[in-house]
Amino acid sequence: MLILATILFGAGITYMVLYYTMGPQTTGSAVEAGSRVPILPIKIPNPNGGADSVIKTVGNFSFVSQTGATITRDSLKGKIWVADVFFSTCTGICPKLSSGMEKIQEAFRGDPEVKFVSFTVDPEYDSIPVLRSYADQYNATDHQWYFLTGNKTDLYRVETEEFFFSHTEADDRTVKFVHDGKLRLVDKEGRFRGAFYDGLEATEIDSVIAHIKLLKREYAENQ
């Protein structure tokens, strides 16, 4: 019985860690039927066991974009925005993920109400000139789509603790590498909306576009 209890306890801890770092595993299609894009709660483990569902507001950050401009959380205040992670030398999911972001940007190109933020996970290589070249490759509109770099420790903290992007860990439990194919839709108050969308699926990209339009309508109606 002691062995079984130990196994179950370990499995529970693992589940909570994964839930905290990866967030709710919902998809965009889950909210298609609604006329509003729901606020997305995040489950965070509590000290007494179990998890609490909380409405998470993205905290502050300060990084540099492909133009050399400093972008902070306040730079996005009052905007609807989509966030992802990438690195410029990635030959796996990143090109497809960035292409999906490009498609969403094309639907709202020049719209001052909608922004896009891509955080690098390889700041040692992804310098401002590298980000400039990468942004051009995906036809990014400056001051609408930001490719951000900065201090690695700060980037990884924001990516994992503020956006819950999935990551692997070293033996000493420090973050080793962040890599995630999901998109985060953030509203004007800094809350997650809809779902953590699969940025590798065309239908999910379409869902993000549809949900941004719904959010724009929601804000317009509430003015």
Short mmCIF file of all heavy atoms in Angstrom, two decimals, residues 1-8:
data_model
loop_
_atom_site.label_atom_id
_atom_site.label_comp_id
_atom_site.label_asym_id
_atom_site.label_seq_id
_atom_site.Cartn_x
_atom_site.Cartn_y
_atom_site.Cartn_z
N MET A 1 0.83 -1.21 0.00
CA MET A 1 0.00 0.00 0.00
C MET A 1 0.86 1.26 0.00
O MET A 1 0.55 2.26 -0.64
CB MET A 1 -0.92 0.01 1.24
CG MET A 1 -2.01 -1.05 1.20
SD MET A 1 -3.17 -0.73 -0.17
CE MET A 1 -3.96 0.74 0.42
N LEU A 2 1.99 1.21 0.78
CA LEU A 2 2.88 2.37 0.84
C LEU A 2 3.46 2.66 -0.53
O LEU A 2 3.56 3.82 -0.95
CB LEU A 2 3.99 2.12 1.86
CG LEU A 2 5.02 3.27 2.01
CD1 LEU A 2 4.31 4.55 2.46
CD2 LEU A 2 6.10 2.87 3.01
N ILE A 3 3.85 1.63 -1.26
CA ILE A 3 4.42 1.81 -2.59
C ILE A 3 3.39 2.41 -3.53
O ILE A 3 3.67 3.33 -4.29
CB ILE A 3 4.93 0.46 -3.14
CG1 ILE A 3 6.11 -0.03 -2.30
CG2 ILE A 3 5.34 0.61 -4.61
CD1 ILE A 3 6.59 -1.41 -2.69
N LEU A 4 2.14 1.88 -3.46
CA LEU A 4 1.07 2.40 -4.32
C LEU A 4 0.79 3.86 -4.02
O LEU A 4 0.62 4.68 -4.93
CB LEU A 4 -0.21 1.57 -4.11
CG LEU A 4 -1.45 2.04 -4.92
CD1 LEU A 4 -1.16 2.00 -6.41
CD2 LEU A 4 -2.65 1.16 -4.57
N ALA A 5 0.76 4.20 -2.73
CA ALA A 5 0.50 5.59 -2.36
C ALA A 5 1.59 6.50 -2.86
O ALA A 5 1.34 7.62 -3.32
CB ALA A 5 0.38 5.70 -0.83
N THR A 6 2.83 6.03 -2.79
CA THR A 6 3.97 6.82 -3.27
C THR A 6 3.86 7.07 -4.76
O THR A 6 4.09 8.17 -5.25
CB THR A 6 5.29 6.10 -2.95
OG1 THR A 6 5.38 5.90 -1.54
CG2 THR A 6 6.48 6.93 -3.43
N ILE A 7 3.48 6.03 -5.51
CA ILE A 7 3.33 6.15 -6.97
C ILE A 7 2.24 7.15 -7.31
O ILE A 7 2.41 8.02 -8.16
CB ILE A 7 3.02 4.78 -7.59
CG1 ILE A 7 4.24 3.86 -7.47
CG2 ILE A 7 2.63 4.94 -9.07
CD1 ILE A 7 3.97 2.43 -7.90
N LEU A 8 1.08 7.03 -6.61
CA LEU A 8 -0.03 7.93 -6.88
C LEU A 8 0.31 9.37 -6.53
O LEU A 8 -0.04 10.31 -7.25
CB LEU A 8 -1.27 7.49 -6.10
CG LEU A 8 -1.91 6.17 -6.56
CD1 LEU A 8 -3.04 5.77 -5.62
CD2 LEU A 8 -2.42 6.30 -7.99
#
